[in-house]
Amino acid sequence: MNWESVIGLEVHLQLATRSKIFSGSATTFGAEPNTQASAVDLAMPGMLPVLNAEAVHYAVKFGLGIGAKIGKRSIFDRKNYFYPDSPKGYQISQFEAPIVGEGNFEISLPDGSTRSIGITRAHLEEDAGKSLHEDYHGQSGIDLNRAGTPLLEIVSEPDIRNATEAVAYLKALHSLVTYLEISDGNMAEGSMRCDINISLRPQGSSTLGTRAEIKNVNSFRFVEKAIQHEIERQSDILEDGGTIVQETRLYDAQRDETRPMRSKEVANDYRYFPEPDLLPVVIDDPYILAIQHTLPELPTTKRHRFAEAYGLSNYDASVLTDTRPLADYFEVVVAACNDAKIAANWVQVELLGQLNRDQTSLAQCPVPAADLGGLIARILDGSISGKIAKQVFEAMWQGEGSADSVIEARGLKQVSDSGALEGIIAEVIASHPEQVQQFLEADEDRRKKLTGFFVGQVMKVSKGQANPQMVNELLAKKLV
């Protein structure tokens, strides 16, 4: 039987506030265990939560970013469960009246097509602490630094159909929240992680199957692999006539498999009830409008503009708008050289390639965008060839200055003097009589290949400084 997978994601996004959602404790990553946990976070008797206004601001900003309904009256609830890293015995979260309601989110797929994924809701909540098992032989330690860290849980509709769409959704979401500057989106540090709800049903059916939930997956690659494994696991069970158990599972990256964690709780098990120590959050239109005015140009809008204004392919526009700093860098390069397509190639191939090789970020890039635009301008005005430009770029990367200063200091200016080029061409022709004879006896296709050989020899003799266009023109006259 052909099975269709139905996938919904719950993304836990850590908001970029300096303090926790209900206390003044810091949220700095990597601090010594239990050095960022106040009496409120420890759930000491008599301690009351105070809502962090910045967390509300960021949640509304996200809601506006996806065109969702903003809850003008939202409430907090107690979600009851008992884990060692949750000292209160419950989590303060939102359930029936979240801060962000329904919305839609456009994603771009690798084949260039787009899809709209429904957003069910996004609600504020506090993170739990962390259980530590290493270095505690036969015991566990508890670190409450994360307890109370502000999270925005973004729940999608079950509109995703495969691992590719799930990864595209997560990448688009990551791009959006970093554009909005409401989260650093650092998945390695747990700032963005997701639970995957997945079920299978016969192709063409509208009835949902029994779902399993895979908890806390924190990389794009692991999300892809976990979904692929779970689809295969559930498919094998159904094909053998078995039934899927509703449960929570963990993804084991070393074994590339999911395994049971616990039977799945349902809402009734959590015994939600309104948090009595927090008043409802009431916001008005002027508050929402003020945040609306702070929104930057968002990734989807920017991607469409890049494609239309600069004549770029959807793929190029998508890559260049992946992050806000990269999009800004590209636009400065274009302004400096006035050729968007060449700028797009240089940014994607040379710049991103070098950043990847050096394992560094755009923020530490030693070549300012205006200087890269200046280098491309020297290619366009014929001062240097594309091959020489790569040498110049490497020198710029090593801190030797602008393109003009490197070209001048190294004597790399392109040779466009016809007399000088004719001399080099004559030398090459004299050195390769056998190839000249082959050229004279060859048909049109063969002559094109031999012309390439002669151009290569001229570039070699000129150390890459010969003007390739002029070399081709002069060779055409000399070889007949």
Side-chain angles (χ1 to χ4, degrees):
M1 181 177 291
N2 292 325
W3 300 99
E4 178 184 55
S5 52
V6 179
I7 302 167
L9 298 180
E10 298 174 9
V11 175
H12 293 80
L13 183 75
Q14 179 176 332
L15 298 175
T17 59
R18 287 172 294 176
S19 59
K20 296 184 178 179
I21 188 169
F22 300 123
S23 79
S25 301
T27 57
T28 308
F29 177 80
E32 285 295 314
N34 296 314
T35 58
Q36 297 180 165
S38 69
V40 174
D41 308 318
L42 295 171
M44 300 300 286
M47 296 297 104
L48 297 176
V50 177
L51 179 59
N52 186 333
E54 195 172 28
V56 176
H57 179 100
Y58 285 172
V60 172
K61 202 170 183 180
F62 173 79
L64 294 172
I66 62 167
K69 298 175 182 175
I70 305 299
K72 293 183 179 178
R73 185 180 186 281
S74 61
I75 62 172
F76 284 95
D77 301 277
R78 288 186 179 182
K79 180 181 180 182
N80 295 275
Y81 63 90
F82 300 96
Y83 289 144
D85 54 14
S86 177
K88 290 195 293 286
Y90 60 84
Q91 176 188 32
I92 300 178
S93 181
Q94 295 187 312
F95 184 55
E96 292 192 357
I99 186 79
V100 178
E102 294 178 353
N104 278 287
F105 192 53
E106 182 182 302
I107 64 171
S108 182
L109 298 173
D111 64 3
S113 63
T114 59
R115 281 208 60 205
S116 180
I117 304 298
I119 301 293
T120 310
R121 54 191 271 142
H123 59 263
L124 285 166
E125 64 181 23
E126 62 179 342
D127 205 351
K130 182 179 180 182
S131 296
L132 306 174
H133 305 295
E134 295 181 358
D135 303 325
Y136 293 89
H137 306 293
Q139 303 177 64
S140 292
I142 302 296
D143 177 10
L144 294 175
N145 279 355
R146 286 193 66 87
T149 297
L151 300 179
L152 185 68
E153 181 172 334
I154 305 160
V155 182
S156 82
E157 291 288 301
D159 292 341
I160 298 168
R161 292 291 171 267
N162 52 54
T164 300
E165 291 183 2
V167 172
Y169 170 81
L170 285 174
K171 287 184 175 179
L173 204 58
H174 183 276
S175 180
L176 174 67
V177 300
T178 52
Y179 264 68
L180 292 172
E181 297 180 330
I182 62 173
S183 173
D184 62 18
N186 191 325
M187 300 181 80
E189 295 180 358
S191 298
M192 185 173 172
R193 55 192 192 269
C194 76
D195 301 340
I196 306 164
N197 287 286
I198 180 169
S199 65
L200 298 187
R201 64 186 177 191
Q203 193 79 40
S205 171
S206 59
T207 303
L208 293 174
T210 302
R211 63 187 164 89
E213 181 184 46
I214 308 170
K215 293 290 287 185
N216 282 333
V217 189
N218 66 347
S219 85
F220 299 133
R221 187 165 67 92
F222 290 165
V223 166
E224 182 176 19
K225 294 173 78 69
I227 290 175
Q228 288 171 341
H229 175 270
E230 188 60 18
I231 289 174
E232 186 176 340
R233 184 188 75 86
Q234 292 191 19
S235 176
D236 287 345
I237 293 173
L238 295 171
E239 290 290 343
D240 291 342
T243 56
I244 304 299
V245 176
Q246 182 170 330
E247 62 183 352
T248 299
R249 303 178 68 84
L250 285 176
Y251 175 67
D252 186 328
Q254 290 188 330
R255 296 183 177 180
D256 188 25
E257 64 180 23
T258 65
R259 49 186 169 81
M261 177 181 176
R262 60 175 184 262
S263 61
K264 174 62 182 173
E265 300 89 345
V266 295
N268 288 337
D269 292 331
Y270 288 129
R271 294 182 295 112
Y272 281 98
F273 62 84
E275 164 61 62
D277 294 330
L278 286 168
L279 292 171
V281 178
V282 179
I283 57 178
D284 55 20
D285 288 334
Y287 176 85
I288 296 171
L289 194 59
I291 296 176
Q292 180 81 56
H293 287 155
T294 69
L295 297 185
E297 183 183 32
L298 298 178
T300 301
T301 306
K302 196 182 285 286
R303 185 173 71 246
H304 291 316
R305 179 171 66 80
F306 273 28
E308 294 173 7
Y310 296 128
L312 302 178
S313 67
N314 288 333
Y315 175 80
D316 287 349
S318 180
V319 171
L320 293 168
T321 58
D322 182 45
T323 68
R324 193 169 160 185
L326 182 62
D328 293 343
Y329 187 100
F330 168 73
E331 294 213 87
V332 174
V333 175
V334 174
C337 71
N338 202 30
D339 191 312
K341 291 189 176 179
I342 294 181
N345 288 337
W346 269 84
V347 169
Q348 291 180 90
V349 177
E350 303 302 332
L351 178 74
L352 294 183
Q354 191 66 54
L355 289 172
N356 186 50
R357 282 190 289 275
D358 284 5
Q359 293 290 297
T360 190
S361 67
L362 191 59
Q364 279 80 47
C365 176
V367 179
D371 284 2
L372 179 55
L375 170 61
I376 296 172
R378 295 288 80 82
I379 302 172
L380 294 170
D381 68 14
S383 296
I384 55 174
S385 66
K387 185 176 181 180
I388 291 293
K390 293 180 181 178
Q391 293 181 31
V392 177
F393 179 69
E394 178 61 29
M396 294 167 68
W397 194 270
Q398 299 304 324
E400 293 186 26
S402 68
D404 287 341
S405 61
V406 172
I407 293 168
E408 180 66 27
R410 295 193 173 196
L412 296 174
K413 194 165 185 178
Q414 187 163 260
V415 177
S416 297
D417 177 79
S418 60
L421 291 177
E422 285 177 344
I424 297 172
I425 290 171
E427 178 185 337
V428 168
I429 289 175
S431 302
H432 298 86
E434 184 178 342
Q435 285 80 3
V436 171
Q437 188 61 35
Q438 290 175 1
F439 180 89
L440 294 174
E441 296 172 353
D443 59 19
E444 195 63 27
D445 289 341
R446 177 66 176 154
R447 283 192 169 191
K448 288 180 181 177
K449 293 180 181 176
L450 286 167
T451 298
F453 166 78
F454 286 112
V455 170
Q457 292 302 310
V458 172
M459 299 305 290
K460 183 178 179 181
V461 172
S462 70
K463 297 180 179 178
Q465 291 180 250
N467 184 318
Q469 185 178 349
M470 291 186 67
V471 170
N472 271 287
E473 293 171 358
L474 292 171
L475 271 171
K477 295 176 183 176
K478 295 291 183 183
L479 287 173
V480 292

